[in-house]
Amino acid sequence: MVLVQLLSLTSLYLAYKGSKLFVESNFELGSKLFMLGNITNMAIALNLGNLYLFIAQSMLCYFTLNMISANTKRFYTLMFVLLLTLILILGINNNIHFIYHDLIDIFGTITAVYGAYSMSKQRYTTMARMWILADLAFIIVAIKLGLIGLFIQSVIFCYHGYLRLKK
């Protein structure tokens, strides 16, 4: 569990740094760091058996793809190798399936995916609203799963969403 916590904190750093770079208009590097954080959270989600968190992180990664340049074959390969390596190190929970019906997880996933879709369409107000709702849900998920990094990341991103709405 210590490795999972360290990876959760690493993901927090990558997502926060990526978000900060978005604001500073370095979309390319910000997107790459954000996606590496998503990849790390995907492996953590599979290790913990939470498919909804895995789907949310996967879709966030997918909708961030359009923010990086077309010549990204090496980066995609790096992401795939990183995900595969983390899955091999952490393992996949034996109880992973869709019978996991926690409404908070489902709500967080749906709002995160819609927020990511809104980001890809440059609808930043809708994105901020959806991500505030998603991150409020992910605060609860983080507490339930005991993930310190996801908890801190969700609190920070709720605040970032609030700042975006207030401009």
Side-chain angles (χ1 to χ4, degrees):
M1 189 63 174
V2 172
L3 181 57
V4 169
Q5 291 297 349
L6 288 173
L7 288 172
S8 181
L9 291 169
T10 300
S11 178
L12 157 68
Y13 173 77
L14 292 167
Y16 175 76
K17 185 70 173 172
S19 179
K20 186 176 185 305
L21 289 170
F22 287 153
V23 174
E24 295 171 354
S25 298
N26 189 343
F27 294 110
E28 180 82 17
L29 182 57
S31 297
K32 288 178 178 179
L33 291 177
F34 192 77
M35 289 169 56
L36 289 172
N38 293 137
I39 292 290
T40 305
N41 276 333
M42 288 165 59
I44 292 169
L46 289 177
N47 174 260
L48 298 174
N50 189 321
L51 276 179
Y52 294 109
L53 181 59
F54 176 81
I55 291 168
Q57 295 299 313
S58 300
M59 296 309 292
L60 288 167
C61 198
Y62 172 77
F63 284 115
T64 306
L65 287 174
N66 71 338
M67 300 180 87
I68 59 177
S69 66
N71 188 11
T72 58
K73 193 178 218 180
R74 277 185 285 179
F75 182 70
Y76 295 148
T77 303
L78 171 68
M79 285 191 339
F80 177 75
V81 169
L82 175 63
L83 179 61
L84 187 59
T85 302
L86 289 174
I87 289 171
L88 289 172
I89 291 170
L90 295 176
I92 297 176
N93 192 308
N94 290 334
N95 295 323
I96 192 163
H97 44 66
F98 274 109
I99 295 175
Y100 190 85
H101 289 300
D102 191 330
L103 292 178
I104 296 294
D105 291 83
I106 294 168
F107 177 78
T109 298
I110 291 169
T111 54
V113 169
Y114 189 65
Y117 171 77
S118 298
M119 176 187 70
S120 74
K121 299 298 181 187
Q122 298 179 355
R123 296 185 211 146
Y124 297 120
T125 301
T126 301
M127 174 200 77
R129 287 183 180 138
M130 291 299 104
W131 282 358
I132 289 170
L133 293 173
D135 282 311
L136 288 171
F138 288 139
I139 287 170
I140 296 168
V141 171
I143 291 169
K144 181 176 61 178
L145 297 175
L147 293 174
I148 298 165
L150 181 62
F151 176 82
I152 295 168
Q153 176 181 331
S154 296
V155 170
I156 290 169
F157 284 172
C158 281
Y159 180 65
H160 283 185
Y162 168 78
L163 291 177
R164 180 172 286 283
L165 290 176
K166 295 296 179 187
K167 308 240 187 288

